[in-house]
Amino acid sequence: MSTIRGIRSSDVLPQPGFTATRQENGGYIGRHSFAVLRTAWGGSGVTGRFAKGTPITSLDPDLSFSWSFLKVVEAEVVSEEGDITIVSVTLSGAQGASYGESGEAPDPTYRLSGQLQDAPLSLHPKWAALSEIFRWALGELINGNRRPSKEFTQVGTYDEEDFFTPAEDTSSAPITLTGDAIEFCKIIARGETTYLRPVITWTESAQGTDGLTNAQLSKLGNISTPRGDPPEAAGTRDWMLTSAFQEQNGEMFTTDLEWTLSEKGGHDDFLYADA
């Protein structure tokens, strides 16, 4: 069997510099490199040993078996002088499940996020406090079926030629607005039909050898109490599990569960309570 610099065509020689980094959620990422003959790379006997999912201890038996959970994710091949090829592998893995028997992650991290999102004016708390007739009139204004008076104190049907004069042939009398309904009328007359409302989310991230469980996925869209130490849902507010994310890198899973805080009054129990 031909040899170059003492390396045989079937050899995979570990190089110095194995590294492994424990991430904040308990998973590990690592790197290791190996020398092989340039002419040997591409043959199934060598290339196949770097297959995705191969334990690093199979490639480097001198490493402690405790590192066997680290598996090959990808391999980078660089040709060196002297017919040598260096194969650098990226590794990932975890020593335990993402969620234990209790359903809780062993090394979770939590993130609180708040942002403003557009929402219809009809979802504003001050809109909800209006009388039914005011809400209907303002809704007609938004839909273009009614128009405001010059002082924004009435909503009705008006002539095109004289915008603020009630049409003689209207079949319904103008509706007189008061209080907050007048302010909404002014806003709608400016062409604004949405407002910015705060949306608060609480996210749990975890890593491990498995992904999200059926029990967790079944709670998506249900009122649910987040784990960790989220801000207290004061008064009539509550939390709903609104997002579930899973990503697999080799044999390591990264998962995110996200809860969203309700407006005052909470989420609708009839629609979103866990059956």
Side-chain angles (χ1 to χ4, degrees):
M1 190 174 293
S2 62
T3 60
I4 298 177
R5 294 186 178 181
I7 302 179
R8 298 172 300 175
S9 59
S10 61
D11 283 344
V12 173
L13 301 183
Q15 301 299 292
F18 164 72
T19 62
T21 302
R22 187 180 187 278
Q23 299 178 300
E24 60 181 350
N25 294 130
Y28 283 78
I29 56 173
R31 286 186 65 83
H32 204 355
S33 58
F34 302 84
V36 302
L37 277 179
R38 185 183 304 173
T39 54
W41 183 257
S44 59
V46 171
T47 306
R49 295 174 65 179
F50 292 90
K52 184 176 181 179
T54 300
I56 190 59
T57 49
S58 295
L59 291 169
D60 186 354
D62 290 336
L63 287 177
S64 168
F65 185 74
S66 63
W67 293 111
S68 61
F69 67 89
L70 282 176
K71 310 289 180 64
V72 173
V73 176
E74 59 184 9
E76 179 185 38
V77 180
V78 177
S79 294
E80 301 283 341
E81 295 182 0
D83 292 330
I84 300 297
T85 288
I86 299 298
V87 183
S88 298
V89 294
T90 301
L91 311 163
S92 71
Q95 292 178 299
S98 303
Y99 300 93
E101 293 182 0
S102 65
E104 296 186 2
D107 293 291
T109 57
Y110 296 98
R111 181 176 68 256
L112 178 68
S113 175
Q115 57 184 335
L116 296 178
Q117 292 182 354
D118 273 334
L121 286 175
S122 58
L123 295 181
H124 196 282
K126 290 184 178 180
W127 181 290
L130 297 174
S131 67
E132 183 177 354
I133 188 63
F134 284 174
R135 295 197 302 270
W136 178 85
L138 293 171
E140 289 289 279
L141 187 60
I142 291 175
N143 293 332
N145 298 328
R146 297 290 187 275
R147 300 185 179 193
S149 66
K150 185 176 182 180
E151 296 79 13
F152 306 103
T153 57
Q154 288 186 321
V155 172
T157 304
Y158 295 84
D159 287 327
E160 293 289 341
E161 296 180 357
D162 188 351
F163 185 80
F164 298 110
T165 301
E168 294 180 359
D169 61 349
T170 182
S171 59
S172 59
I175 296 173
T176 300
L177 306 177
T178 60
D180 288 343
I182 295 176
E183 298 306 316
F184 276 116
C185 184
K186 293 177 182 178
I187 292 170
I188 296 168
R190 296 199 301 262
E192 300 177 27
T193 59
T194 63
Y195 76 104
L196 293 175
R197 68 169 178 172
V199 177
I200 307 298
T201 59
W202 178 258
T203 304
E204 177 189 80
S205 299
Q207 289 178 318
T209 56
D210 55 5
L212 295 169
T213 65
N214 290 334
Q216 290 166 331
L217 293 175
S218 67
K219 290 184 178 295
L220 189 61
N222 288 344
I223 298 170
S224 175
T225 301
R227 290 187 290 268
D229 189 23
E232 182 179 354
T236 56
R237 296 177 186 266
D238 55 27
W239 294 92
M240 178 192 293
L241 183 61
T242 53
S243 176
F245 169 83
Q246 177 176 300
E247 181 180 45
Q248 184 175 358
N249 184 17
E251 296 190 16
M252 181 176 70
F253 291 84
T254 298
T255 61
D256 288 339
L257 292 173
E258 182 178 276
W259 291 263
T260 300
L261 188 64
S262 73
E263 297 284 342
K264 292 180 180 179
H267 295 102
D268 191 304
D269 283 340
F270 177 76
L271 296 175
Y272 304 116
D274 191 1

